[in-house]
Amino acid sequence: APRFANVFDNQNKMFREIKNEIIEAFEIGYHYNSKTIAINVNGYLTYWQNRPLDQVSKVTIDEEQYSYNINGIDAFHKGIEIEFGWKPIPSLQWDQVFAFGDWRWVSGDSVYIYDDNNKLLATRYFDARGVHVGDAAQIQLMESIRWEIIKYLYVSGSFTLFAKNYSEFDPISLGPDPDDPSYQYLDENGNPRDSWKLPVYFLVDLNAGYRFTFKNFKLDLRATVLNLLDRKYISDAQNNDSYSTSTRNFDAASAGVFFGTGRTFNASIALSF
């Protein structure tokens, strides 16, 4: 069933053309676990029909705005995920996670927009075949290590890399614009233009904690520093964002971006009876 956000918009108006999603998936994996080593390997193939978009699609007709779903927009996801853990001594643990995916849209279709009386208001065409799915880093690498210095006192740190991350797109931007005949949505080879690719970035996090034990309760102190190096990075983007720019060139200058959070400190106290 479609998500609620794809049934009613923020103005409590019902979307046009509401249909169910269809997901066909195949997965295969392997798991090994011992006292010192743990390994998980998982491969997947997913064909996702009527895949919902995180950004609401809208069109203005006769000065009235309509929200609509795009049925018939399909995606094919394939990838592999590997998790590895090693505990050479009881007080030290090293973990690795690697995920590689290739997620692409595989369809093109006509979009028909109706009003509440089922009157056809407009027809738009899109072609997203071969365009990468946005809003998710399709390559991720995480390295972490945890050391228990003495009993109940630990420190841990992690390094996470995000790559192959494309901006979200509006399918209508991958079709002819009736108001602008010069608009180019195909590349020089006649293929649909891909969304803007975000810069690669990485984050370093640091954690520490200590547990006090008493006769009738336990007291845990924890502290965390997120984005330890205070790196500036773009976490999400919208391709050809009409709210941020008037250009539609499928590049950084035509995207609306969201910057990630800078260095952040957290501390907590937990009392357990």
Side-chain angles (χ1 to χ4, degrees):
R3 298 176 301 187
F4 188 82
N6 290 91
V7 178
F8 290 94
D9 64 15
N10 291 336
Q11 284 72 45
N12 293 325
K13 291 183 178 180
M14 185 173 284
F15 277 62
R16 306 299 187 263
E17 289 291 285
I18 302 170
K19 293 185 179 180
N20 284 345
E21 305 168 37
I22 300 174
I23 302 173
E24 301 170 355
F26 172 79
E27 289 191 48
I28 187 170
Y30 173 77
H31 171 73
Y32 172 79
N33 193 22
S34 70
K35 290 183 178 180
T36 58
I37 293 177
I39 300 174
N40 279 309
V41 181
N42 184 64
Y44 61 88
L45 300 171
T46 304
Y47 180 42
W48 195 345
Q49 302 170 60
N50 292 340
R51 188 182 188 278
L53 299 172
D54 293 327
Q55 297 290 334
V56 174
S57 296
K58 295 183 178 182
V59 65
T60 301
I61 301 174
D62 296 332
E63 299 183 354
E64 185 171 353
Q65 199 170 61
Y66 297 89
S67 299
Y68 59 91
N69 285 309
I70 298 181
N71 298 303
I73 183 165
D74 305 334
F76 185 64
H77 295 196
K78 59 183 177 181
I80 186 170
E81 300 166 342
I82 302 172
E83 298 174 309
F84 173 76
W86 180 40
K87 207 168 187 177
I89 57 176
S91 62
L92 187 66
Q93 181 165 336
W94 174 40
D95 292 305
Q96 291 181 307
V97 177
F98 175 72
F100 176 83
D102 187 45
W103 305 353
R104 296 175 185 260
W105 301 104
V106 293
S107 63
D109 205 349
S110 293
V111 180
Y112 303 99
I113 303 166
Y114 298 86
D115 64 11
D116 291 332
N117 298 316
N118 207 33
K119 177 184 176 182
L120 181 63
L121 300 175
T123 302
R124 297 287 188 270
Y125 175 76
F126 76 91
D127 186 356
R129 289 172 295 181
V131 174
H132 286 89
V133 174
D135 202 31
Q138 297 180 30
I139 294 179
Q140 294 187 45
L141 171 66
M142 190 274 290
E143 301 275 351
S144 71
I145 190 165
R146 186 184 188 276
W147 178 33
E148 190 169 5
I149 303 171
I150 59 174
K151 189 175 182 179
Y152 301 135
L153 174 65
Y154 75 89
V155 293
S156 66
S158 65
F159 167 92
T160 311
L161 176 75
F162 301 87
K164 200 181 177 184
N165 192 2
Y166 291 83
S167 52
E168 189 65 276
F169 81 111
D170 180 358
I172 297 302
S173 70
L174 287 172
D177 186 345
D179 299 321
D180 183 6
S182 64
Y183 174 62
Q184 297 293 323
Y185 67 95
L186 301 175
D187 62 19
E188 60 275 7
N189 298 317
N191 299 315
R193 298 176 69 179
D194 214 338
S195 297
W196 175 60
K197 190 176 182 180
L198 278 64
V200 176
Y201 68 93
F202 66 87
L203 300 174
V204 177
D205 301 327
L206 186 65
N207 306 276
Y210 184 72
R211 167 174 288 183
F212 295 92
T213 58
F214 300 93
K215 183 176 180 180
N216 297 320
F217 63 90
K218 300 173 184 177
L219 184 68
D220 288 290
L221 305 179
R222 301 187 185 96
T224 301
V225 184
L226 302 174
N227 192 5
L228 176 68
L229 304 180
D230 198 26
R231 293 185 59 84
K232 294 180 175 64
Y233 64 96
I234 297 173
S235 60
D236 299 282
Q238 176 68 27
N239 197 61
N240 293 347
D241 186 11
S242 60
Y243 292 100
S244 303
T245 177
S246 59
T247 61
R248 295 185 293 175
N249 294 324
F250 296 80
D251 57 12
S254 301
V257 304
F258 298 88
F259 280 89
T261 306
R263 186 185 296 119
T264 305
F265 300 89
N266 292 324
S268 67
I269 300 176
L271 188 63
S272 304
F273 295 94

